[in-house]
Amino acid sequence: MNYKKLEEVGEILDKQVSCGDVAGGSVLVLKDGEEIYRHNSGLADIERGIPVSNDTIFRIYSMTKPITAAALMILYDRGAFRLDDRLCGYIKAFENMTVLTEEGVVPAKSDITIRQALDMTSGLCYPDQSYPAGIKMCEVYDKIAQESEKGARIGTVELIERAAGSPLAFQPGEKWLYGIGADVAGALIEVISGMSFRDFLKKELLD
């Protein structure tokens, strides 16, 4: 174990605090169940001047994402799919994807892979008014929200199939963008397992 590298992680956190990017943070590294590195930096409460400590409680968002990824990897371990399989081989709506560029909408140069959906390099984006592809995805999600308000029940797979009709933010594999990859993983779990996402999580992980 390169402990010097671990110390560099703490130094990066210190720099983030000193430049004001974050108020405070904590790094903890465990190996084989044993704590091998810990570093706290900055404030847990700015108004009261309380520093970050080992027992500071943090609110962590999007923790359904690693749970979803772990659930999908259960199916991977069972040989149900390969990471570099084409997504459209499981969800047909991902055939013939398009990309929204500065020149307009163009065909995707390659199919999205399951790996790209998981590591968010697929070009699939969240609804977001700050860039063109995000605006297009907003239109999809707004329509789904309107239908849901009127009583429509739209499942995971249908939601993702409809999102697949929105153009990608960039060519698959070209770069990284925080997007709906975890939602796609949830739909894949349903398609591959034949179970609802909820039932699969309950049976394979939560129980």
Side-chain angles (χ1 to χ4, degrees):
M1 177 60 67
N2 189 334
Y3 292 97
K4 176 62 178 172
K5 288 293 183 184
L6 290 177
E7 290 173 3
E8 290 177 4
V9 174
E11 292 169 3
I12 290 170
L13 177 58
D14 287 341
K15 289 177 182 176
Q16 295 296 300
V17 170
S18 64
C19 73
D21 283 349
V22 295
S26 183
V27 178
L28 170 64
V29 180
L30 301 174
K31 185 175 187 297
D32 300 325
E34 298 292 327
E35 180 181 314
I36 61 171
Y37 182 73
R38 182 184 281 272
H39 180 80
N40 300 315
S41 184
L43 298 175
D45 189 317
I46 297 173
E47 292 179 356
R48 292 185 290 172
I50 299 174
V52 172
S53 62
N54 288 356
D55 61 356
T56 294
I57 296 173
F58 292 87
R59 176 179 287 177
I60 304 176
Y61 289 88
S62 292
M63 289 309 295
T64 52
K65 289 180 173 62
I67 292 171
T68 302
L72 185 60
M73 294 310 287
I74 289 172
L75 294 171
Y76 171 81
D77 286 342
R78 293 175 183 168
F81 70 92
R82 294 175 300 177
L83 287 171
D84 293 318
D85 283 348
R86 296 179 307 143
L87 187 55
C88 61
Y90 300 85
I91 302 175
K92 193 173 176 62
F94 285 100
E95 289 182 341
N96 304 315
M97 293 297 292
T98 59
V99 180
L100 185 54
T101 70
E102 292 181 357
E103 289 75 36
V105 177
V106 300
K109 295 177 182 177
S110 61
D111 291 320
I112 298 169
T113 66
I114 294 176
R115 185 190 302 273
Q116 290 166 346
L118 280 173
D119 68 14
M120 298 194 184
T121 60
S122 64
L124 290 163
C125 60
Y126 272 125
D128 191 326
Q129 292 289 343
S130 65
Y131 56 93
I135 293 171
K136 287 291 186 183
M137 191 64 82
C138 280
E139 295 172 4
V140 174
Y141 274 71
D142 286 349
K143 190 170 191 304
I144 290 171
Q146 290 166 9
E147 292 174 18
S148 296
E149 287 173 3
K150 293 177 181 177
R153 299 192 64 178
I154 299 168
T156 306
V157 174
E158 183 184 349
L159 185 150
I160 290 305
E161 287 175 337
R162 290 170 68 168
S166 191
L168 304 174
F170 50 80
Q171 293 289 344
E174 187 177 73
K175 52 187 173 181
W176 184 90
L177 176 67
Y178 192 55
I180 63 169
D183 305 80
V184 173
L188 275 171
I189 288 169
E190 292 197 348
V191 170
I192 294 171
S193 71
M195 300 171 65
S196 72
F197 180 55
R198 171 183 175 173
D199 288 346
F200 187 88
L201 288 186
K202 187 173 188 299
K203 177 176 183 289
E204 299 291 350
L205 279 176
L206 305 181
D207 282 350

